[in-house]
Amino acid sequence: MRKRTLAAAAVMATAGAATMAGMATARDDLQLTDVPTANTKATGLTSPNRMSPELMNTVRAQGSTTVENPRDGVGYYGYDSVDNHPTLMPTTAAGATTPTEAHKTEPDKNTYLVLKGQKGPDAGYDYGTHFLFQGHESGTPGYVTRVNLDADAPHRVTLMATKDSSGKALPDFDGSSWDPFAKKLLFTAEAGCSGGVWQGDPTFSADGALDDISGALGRGGFEGVQTASDGSLWLVEDVGGAKAGDNGKAKSANSYVYRFVPEARNDLTKGRLEALQVVRSDGTPMTTKAEPFGEDLKALHTYGRSFATRWVTVHDTAKDGNAPFCATTAASDANATAFKRPENGVFRPGTGFREFYFTETGDTNVDSPANDQYGGWGGVFKLSQAGPSAGSGRITLSLLGDQAHTGLDNLSFATADQLMVVEDAGDTLHSQRNALDSGFVYDVTDSRSAPTRWLAEGRDPSATMDSAMAEAGTPDFTNDGDNEITGIHVSDGNPTVQGLFGRAVPTPFEDGWRVFWTQQHGDNVTYEVLSGVS
């Protein structure tokens, strides 16, 4: 097995006496030293990010980076502000009692592409070939940015779109991806029955716009979106459920996993939307939505249990037309199986698109009575099929969450067996467990072993001030508090069908493979992870 740069660094850092010759026979995995604890949360306390010593961060963009082509109130990478109006940091005007600051837009899921011939607002500038696309999760209007990784500071961030093709302001976006069949960027809005999917070209246009394709894919709380080798789109939804339990701290399952099968792989405006249904041993569907403490939900969150699955059609443009519809309602009506706030999903590389993993956020509250047995801590599920087009399969629990590993959100395979997952536990749970978010990596072939913490996220001064303002009940306060990890993304940027996630086995830090993540809220920094001693 060929040597890996990161494996070499890890062996030298953690094994001391290990030799390069010995390392050459080791598994071709990331060898990362565990960060033993998460960063703690305390009022007024800032803390740096702590990483495995084999890794280091470098900043690729941050909230205060100006966009090179401001418009529609968007002047910065991560703020609703132009020329520092409103101010990026809290200020109090003379005679005022409430501090004000610009609204933070929270760049979210990263999509990395290597593209030739891309242009920008500066017609005479060479923008290079390496680009990072993101939608923004908060603010007005919603918008899409392109981080030009080869560019200098004045050209580092390009504003790509603020409107749809009808001239309507874009919604806030959570997920993003690239479909090589349609040659479209995809962005998802996690807004329940007002959400959906929008598509657009990666090329810059002064009046760039996105197309709303919710008439085919539906309106739902979509976040994760991935294209399979057969051209189908796999969507993961995050919609909070009704309060449950005597204390109201549990939430009913109310989110679904979908597959969109287009009539033609290069056209995502026509096709069939299906929802995942888990089947009991007697052949009846698990309708978990109505039973937050039911045996079905308990069984799904038990190691070693395996259940049959099938896809049920919830909408077909050939019969139902292209008027927008609520996918969440349609899935519920079709007796699809609800989960507790799934966030994102990916195909496991090297499996021929036969294994799909998706996270489940859970209730993110220590006091939820559903935590121990009914999915309150969330986890990661594995869906196995004979192929991406198969009508049935099996689902198993891959990783069961607990208090120290919960609120699981974005995920990305780092190698054939190692899955990187990151937390979005939220301010309430941060305070309850006195621990900020972490990023983990675990072996999906041995998922009951303890995950390795590769990132203990800190809290920058801007987020620390926001947290204090929120705790103080500051009137008209619109920003989030603690920092959040999002957008973990391992990619070589290949825009062709051969570059589909799940086809090639990643080799981080080699052969063009790169690793990115975004520290949402606060300063809104997007990092690239590099191999080296931090």
Side-chain angles (χ1 to χ4, degrees):
M1 189 173 292
R2 67 182 178 84
K3 293 185 288 187
R4 297 280 301 282
T5 302
L6 185 61
V11 171
M12 289 186 287
T14 61
T19 65
M20 296 297 287
M23 188 207 60
T25 62
R27 286 184 63 187
D28 196 21
D29 284 343
L30 302 184
Q31 305 294 314
L32 299 178
T33 302
D34 184 59
V35 180
T37 61
N39 275 311
T40 58
K41 172 177 177 171
T43 300
L45 177 66
T46 68
S47 52
N49 297 321
R50 295 183 292 122
M51 303 181 70
S52 298
E54 299 82 19
L55 303 174
M56 62 186 298
N57 278 324
T58 187
V59 175
R60 293 307 183 197
Q62 65 183 52
S64 57
T65 303
T66 56
V67 298
E68 59 173 335
N69 55 328
R71 69 175 186 270
D72 298 329
V74 180
Y76 296 90
Y77 176 59
Y79 292 91
D80 282 335
S81 176
V82 177
D83 296 331
N84 202 34
H85 298 288
T87 57
L88 304 192
M89 295 293 287
T91 56
T92 304
T97 58
T98 301
T100 61
E101 62 177 335
H103 186 88
K104 298 176 172 73
T105 66
E106 303 175 19
D108 205 314
K109 188 74 173 67
N110 293 296
T111 293
Y112 171 60
L113 293 173
V114 179
L115 301 168
K116 296 180 180 180
Q118 296 302 297
K119 303 297 183 182
D122 187 343
Y125 187 76
D126 182 358
Y127 284 85
T129 56
H130 301 86
F131 304 96
L132 201 62
F133 295 88
Q134 294 163 319
H136 291 246
E137 188 180 1
S138 184
T140 304
Y143 61 93
V144 173
T145 50
R146 185 186 73 190
V147 180
N148 309 308
L149 297 168
D150 301 327
D152 59 15
H155 300 89
R156 176 50 58 105
V157 178
T158 303
L159 181 61
M160 297 293 286
T162 61
K163 298 179 180 180
D164 67 18
S165 52
S166 69
K168 182 180 178 181
L170 291 174
D172 298 326
F173 291 126
D174 296 86
S176 68
S177 188
W178 168 250
D179 188 313
F181 296 105
K183 294 181 172 58
K184 295 290 185 180
L185 286 163
L186 305 176
F187 298 94
T188 56
E190 188 186 47
C193 291
S194 297
V197 182
W198 280 253
Q199 69 176 11
D201 298 322
T203 54
F204 171 78
S205 171
D207 57 352
L210 302 182
D211 295 321
D212 182 354
I213 54 175
S214 301
L217 281 78
R219 297 204 178 281
F222 301 138
E223 182 166 345
V225 54
Q226 295 291 331
T227 305
S229 57
D230 64 347
S232 61
L233 289 184
W234 292 49
L235 296 150
V236 178
E237 180 180 49
D238 176 10
V239 177
K243 293 181 180 180
D246 292 339
N247 62 2
K249 303 300 182 182
K251 300 291 180 62
S252 297
N254 193 38
S255 307
Y256 300 91
V257 176
Y258 303 87
R259 181 176 68 178
F260 177 71
V261 183
E263 289 184 8
R265 293 188 298 181
N266 63 349
D267 181 1
L268 301 178
T269 64
K270 298 177 182 179
R272 183 177 71 254
L273 183 70
E274 304 168 330
L276 185 69
Q277 184 184 83
V278 184
V279 184
R280 303 186 186 102
S281 58
D282 64 1
T284 59
M286 286 189 176
T287 51
T288 50
K289 179 177 179 179
E291 299 180 358
F293 301 98
E295 289 301 312
D296 288 342
L297 209 55
K298 181 178 178 181
L300 279 172
H301 293 89
T302 301
Y303 278 126
R305 301 294 300 271
S306 174
F307 300 94
T309 62
R310 58 194 174 208
W311 293 99
V312 293
T313 298
V314 300
H315 187 271
D316 189 339
T317 57
K319 296 185 298 182
D320 304 317
N322 277 85
F325 63 98
C326 182
T328 312
T329 301
S332 177
D333 291 344
N335 288 328
T337 299
F339 293 88
K340 293 175 72 72
R341 296 180 55 210
E343 295 269 358
N344 280 275
V346 290
F347 291 98
R348 182 182 173 193
T351 65
F353 295 85
R354 293 187 293 269
E355 292 184 13
F356 182 76
Y357 287 74
F358 63 93
T359 53
E360 188 184 48
T361 300
D363 293 333
T364 59
N365 194 307
V366 166
D367 297 325
S368 169
N371 284 340
D372 292 336
Q373 294 184 306
Y374 302 99
W377 294 128
V380 180
F381 286 94
K382 179 180 77 170
L383 176 62
S384 302
Q385 298 189 167
S389 302
S392 60
R394 299 200 70 83
I395 192 169
T396 57
L397 180 71
S398 178
L399 178 68
L400 181 64
D402 55 34
Q403 185 169 318
H405 313 83
T406 189
L408 301 179
D409 193 322
N410 283 196
L411 73 169
S412 188
F413 272 95
T415 66
D417 298 333
Q418 291 177 303
L419 183 62
M420 302 181 86
V421 293
V422 298
E423 291 182 309
D424 172 17
D427 285 25
T428 296
L429 184 54
H430 293 167
S431 297
Q432 289 175 330
R433 67 182 187 179
N434 191 28
L436 300 175
D437 289 336
S438 293
F440 302 99
V441 62
Y442 79 98
D443 188 337
V444 298
T445 68
D446 185 20
S447 59
R448 298 198 200 189
S449 61
T452 296
R453 180 184 285 108
W454 64 270
L455 169 64
E457 186 182 38
R459 189 169 65 173
D460 61 42
S462 180
T464 303
M465 285 189 287
D466 283 350
S467 178
M469 291 169 67
E471 290 171 358
T474 303
D476 301 319
F477 179 73
T478 63
N479 287 316
D480 287 296
D482 300 334
N483 293 121
E484 170 196 333
I485 309 170
T486 191
I488 183 64
H489 187 59
V490 182
S491 172
D492 66 352
N494 185 342
T496 72
V497 173
Q498 296 304 312
L500 280 169
F501 290 113
R503 189 179 296 279
V505 176
T507 55
F509 320 117
E510 294 185 357
D511 303 326
W513 288 86
R514 300 172 76 166
V515 182
F516 301 92
W517 72 281
T518 296
Q519 188 168 15
Q520 270 193 335
H521 312 162
D523 290 339
N524 281 321
V525 180
T526 291
Y527 293 102
E528 181 172 0
V529 180
L530 304 177
S531 172
V533 178
S534 58

